[in-house]
Amino acid sequence: RGMPLAAAEVGRTGLLDDRHWMLVRPNGRFVTQRELPRMALIATRVGSEGLTLSAPAMPALTVPRVAARQVRPVTVWKFDGRGIDCGAEAAAWVTKFLETELSLVAFDVTAPRTCSPEWTQGTHAITEFADGFPVLVISRASLADLNSRLQSRSSGSLPMERFRPNVVIDGVGAYDEDRIHELRVGGVTLRLVKPCMRCSITTTDQELGAVDGVEPLRTLKEYRFNRELRGVAFGQNAIVVSGAGKRLRVGDTF
């Protein structure tokens, strides 16, 4: 599940440690809440000691940050790269909770992953195990507009966590993130480069770890369908242009 933060350090690959760990099948292919919505019930805490996992009826498990373990091939969509296996204990923990054979891997930082140059406007950008880009930006006004449409058809409203953004902005109009070129604050520059095409994770209740219907995808398809990318767009993917090592804080003014 997502992790709310009051502040976060920025790295070249996005917020520090974001998408640094990943669950994979025995063949190394990534898995997400798309296939396993119960992943939303796994809470994480990241500290100097490593990654701590917790979930209902499971003992907490801390996976050391630094460990000399096997490097193995992994796949995220069309990206074939390298992950560092986090060991048998972590694999047994996630396999037991999610009831399918899985392993936990950490990103191999010695083999950087380049974002698609088709979208990065001449800037060399890197990421780790994200779908394709380091940062996802959404405005509160965009969510408010979507919820007004959902409420008009008696579909209720949805929290921002359904859309799993890294950065939430306020003080702009609905979908203004589609038109913003860069966000700059305190030496950090984030360049918004590509619409985020939404998938079935948006239909998963993050508190229950279960799919609860067809919304918001049904409603988004009516007014946010992107013909070029052949899907519904909500939010903007961004890259880190500058500011690695600096911090973003809730309340910062861009």
Side-chain angles (χ1 to χ4, degrees), residues 137-184:
V137 178
I138 300 177
S139 72
R140 292 192 187 279
S142 298
L143 179 61
D145 179 75
L146 170 60
N147 276 331
S148 71
R149 297 168 188 265
L150 293 174
Q151 291 160 3
S152 70
R153 63 196 311 167
S154 301
S155 299
S157 61
L158 298 176
M160 185 65 82
E161 64 186 13
R162 282 289 185 103
F163 303 93
R164 302 179 63 80
N166 300 106
V167 175
V168 177
I169 58 175
D170 211 344
V172 299
Y175 314 109
D176 274 356
E177 58 267 39
D178 295 348
R179 296 174 282 277
I180 293 171
H181 177 55
E182 291 182 345
L183 299 171
R184 303 171 187 163

Side-chain angles (χ1 to χ4, degrees), residues 57-73:
M58 294 288 291
L61 175 69
T62 297
V63 180
R65 180 180 290 275
V66 179
R69 294 198 176 99
Q70 178 183 0
V71 175
R72 56 182 294 181

Side-chain angles (χ1 to χ4, degrees), residues 227-239:
R227 287 186 173 83
E228 178 187 358
L229 298 175
R230 293 181 294 179
V232 296
F234 191 79
Q236 286 282 326
N237 290 297
I239 60 174

